Amino acid sequence: DWSVSSKGKGRRGCVENEADEVAVYGHNISSSPTNKKQEKYIDWLNHSDTTLRHLTQLSDSLYQYLTLPTATRARHRATSKGQKEADEVLSTGHQIFTHNVYGNMIMISQLSEALKYRGLPGNEASRIRQW
């Protein structure tokens, strides 16, 4: 549930919980640091490792999703055994997409928002999201 929206000065973004805030922004955005340099600090090694991990998980999830067996043949509509098989394949595909693909894409978008927050131009962040 992405109902919690954390909007700060000059940026937009949604975070699910405090762990996401720390992963994306490097600190909890609800607690304000005392100086600006501390506010925009980022551990670049951790950020790049997190981004790489999410990109790898995204590619693995897309591979699993795209290599599912087909469920659109005539037997999947004409026979009861085929309908059960199609339901199983479609529900598995839905689970893979919603839990793995969608979640990783959201986190990659949040990680690019973290870069934008720290000075990356908006058009460059847009190119990252489009890619």
Side-chain angles (χ1 to χ4, degrees):
D1 180 27
W2 290 82
S3 59
V4 179
S5 177
S6 300
K7 293 186 177 182
K9 188 175 182 180
R11 62 183 162 75
R12 292 179 288 161
C14 294
V15 291
E16 187 173 0
N17 55 35
E18 287 184 20
D20 285 346
E21 287 182 8
V22 173
V24 172
Y25 299 110
H27 65 282
N28 188 344
I29 60 176
S30 56
S31 64
S32 58
T34 55
N35 85 31
K36 289 284 186 185
K37 194 162 193 108
Q38 182 184 3
E39 180 180 341
K40 293 192 177 189
Y41 170 77
I42 186 169
D43 181 4
W44 292 107
L45 186 60
N46 183 33
H47 183 84
S48 61
D49 287 345
T50 303
T51 304
L52 180 62
R53 186 177 71 245
H54 283 290
L55 285 171
T56 304
Q57 289 173 355
L58 177 63
S59 65
D60 290 344
S61 300
L62 284 172
Y63 174 79
Q64 291 174 352
Y65 181 74
L66 294 172
T67 57
L68 285 172
T70 60
T72 57
R73 295 183 173 253
R75 67 184 164 100
H76 293 119
R77 296 182 185 184
T79 65
S80 60
K81 184 178 176 184
Q83 287 176 351
K84 288 179 186 175
E85 181 182 338
D87 289 342
E88 184 177 319
V89 168
L90 292 175
S91 69
T92 301
H94 182 70
Q95 286 177 341
I96 289 172
F97 188 81
T98 56
H99 292 127
N100 298 336
V101 176
Y102 185 67
N104 282 309
M105 290 184 75
I106 294 269
M107 280 308 296
I108 290 168
S109 177
Q110 290 292 337
L111 288 165
S112 68
E113 285 292 319
L115 292 177
K116 195 165 101 176
Y117 173 66
R118 287 169 179 84
L120 182 73
N123 61 344
E124 296 297 327
S126 176
R127 286 192 183 108
I128 290 171
R129 281 192 303 274
Q130 287 175 359
W131 177 79

